[in-house]
Amino acid sequence: MQPKYRLADRQYVVSPLRRTPNRIIEISDSQSRNRRVSADIRWFDHVHGELSINGVVRQFYAVQDDQTIHLHMDGKVWQLEAVDAFSDAAGVSGQAQSGQVKAPMPGVVLEITVREGDLVEEGQVLMLIESMKLQMEVKAGRAGVVQSLGVESAGASFDKGAVLANIQSAERQEPANREAVS
């Protein structure tokens, strides 16, 4: 999985290729056009920065509102919508039907927000993970009961494709033999 963004109804995939003093990234659009660029960002404060793309330096201002990044640069404003890898139409339909939430890439768990037996809603955050210095929320692909978690605690590592959680539909949930905690 690479970060995906939507800009003006087109989806772009950003793939890091090499890290040198500047990062080499490949940007692919939904029409399979690829472009490699050398990019670097220098931040002056929490909203103001300098972006260098293939040696051309531009000042910018950026703020994030949920999954949307509002970018003001060169007198224009762009809205980049981050496409959630866990709800991307290419992979979630099968995961949602099976109830499995799989890791899109290897990583480490930072925080687990649910426990086995918890009732969750579709889109609810199950855990926070980190991969390649990128933090992502892992969300439930459907409503139901957390049948099992594939990781035990924060700090646990996992491989690409590992089942991070298994969500069973609430109507199919079998009674759990859970003892009351006093």
Side-chain angles (χ1 to χ4, degrees), residues 116-135:
E116 290 180 8
D118 284 357
L119 185 63
V120 296
E121 296 296 322
E122 181 177 345
Q124 180 177 336
V125 175
L126 305 174
M127 62 185 72
L128 181 65
I129 63 171
E130 180 178 77
S131 182
M132 300 187 317
K133 307 254 183 227
L134 175 68
Q135 292 185 8

Side-chain angles (χ1 to χ4, degrees), residues 30-105:
S30 55
Q31 297 172 344
S32 300
R33 292 184 291 217
N34 298 335
R35 181 174 176 203
R36 288 185 183 196
V37 297
S38 172
D40 193 36
I41 295 177
R42 185 172 70 137
W43 290 96
F44 301 124
D45 60 35
H46 68 284
V47 296
H48 181 214
E50 185 176 79
L51 175 65
S52 172
I53 299 177
N54 291 335
V56 178
V57 179
R58 293 185 168 100
Q59 299 277 319
F60 72 91
Y61 292 87
V63 294
Q64 185 169 350
D65 178 28
D66 194 31
Q67 295 292 333
T68 303
I69 299 169
H70 303 274
L71 181 67
H72 183 269
M73 184 170 62
D74 295 338
K76 297 179 185 175
V77 176
W78 289 278
Q79 294 181 345
L80 298 166
E81 180 186 349
V83 177
D84 184 355
F86 292 96
S87 63
D88 186 359
V92 160
S93 60
Q95 287 187 38
Q97 288 176 358
S98 73
Q100 293 185 336
V101 179
K102 295 185 178 181
M105 65 180 81

Side-chain angles (χ1 to χ4, degrees), residues 104-167:
M105 65 180 81
V108 175
V109 175
L110 298 177
E111 178 182 8
I112 301 173
T113 59
V114 296
R115 295 184 302 174
E116 290 180 8
D118 284 357
L119 185 63
V120 296
E121 296 296 322
E122 181 177 345
Q124 180 177 336
V125 175
L126 305 174
M127 62 185 72
L128 181 65
I129 63 171
E130 180 178 77
S131 182
M132 300 187 317
K133 307 254 183 227
L134 175 68
Q135 292 185 8
M136 294 174 282
E137 294 179 331
V138 176
K139 298 179 181 179
R142 69 174 182 193
V145 175
V146 178
Q147 185 74 20
S148 62
L149 293 171
V151 290
E152 292 188 21
S153 62
S157 61
F158 52 84
D159 292 324
K160 178 180 179 178
V163 177
L164 298 175
N166 192 355
I167 311 294

